[in-house]
Amino acid sequence: MGARLPRGTTGPRYGPLDEIAWYRGNAQEHVHDVGGRRPNAWGLYDMLGNVWEWCWDLYDAEVYGAYRVLRGGGWSDEHWSCRASVRRRSHPTFQIDDVGFRLARSVAR
């Protein structure tokens, strides 16, 4: 097990970008297998960079209808785009090699 990461952060990322994400500056123009960079404090890999992740949130239903939110940035994006606060939108049928999704479920207590 590696060193523990801090739970909180005061910046746009949970560590140095080259250590936690694949992006335009280090990805050699392709998607990478999950786990090639350092995870966040909860042990989740590739939360920034590598592929944009579909979110359940609607972007703005009144304006964009069924368009969903994408977050996190992808391997072809510049460094400024790889942070959780950046969001993009697209129709749920959109497919491209730097867009993916993550299944997550809360644990019953």
Side-chain angles (χ1 to χ4, degrees), residues 61-76:
E62 291 184 28
V63 177
Y64 298 102
Y67 276 42
R68 299 279 179 185
V69 172
L70 297 163
R71 287 200 184 266
W75 63 262
S76 66

Side-chain angles (χ1 to χ4, degrees), residues 5-61:
L5 300 171
R7 288 276 182 198
T9 181
T10 57
R13 299 179 189 94
Y14 54 89
L17 192 58
D18 281 320
E19 294 179 17
I20 64 172
W22 297 109
Y23 68 104
R24 184 174 290 187
N26 67 6
Q28 293 99 30
E29 301 182 7
H30 65 90
V31 69
H32 292 265
D33 291 339
V34 173
R37 292 289 189 235
R38 204 173 84 198
N40 69 9
W42 295 271
L44 299 172
Y45 290 87
D46 298 315
M47 292 302 292
L48 302 177
N50 207 23
V51 296
W52 285 89
E53 292 188 355
W54 285 112
C55 296
W56 187 252
D57 313 19
L58 292 173
Y59 192 80
D60 181 344

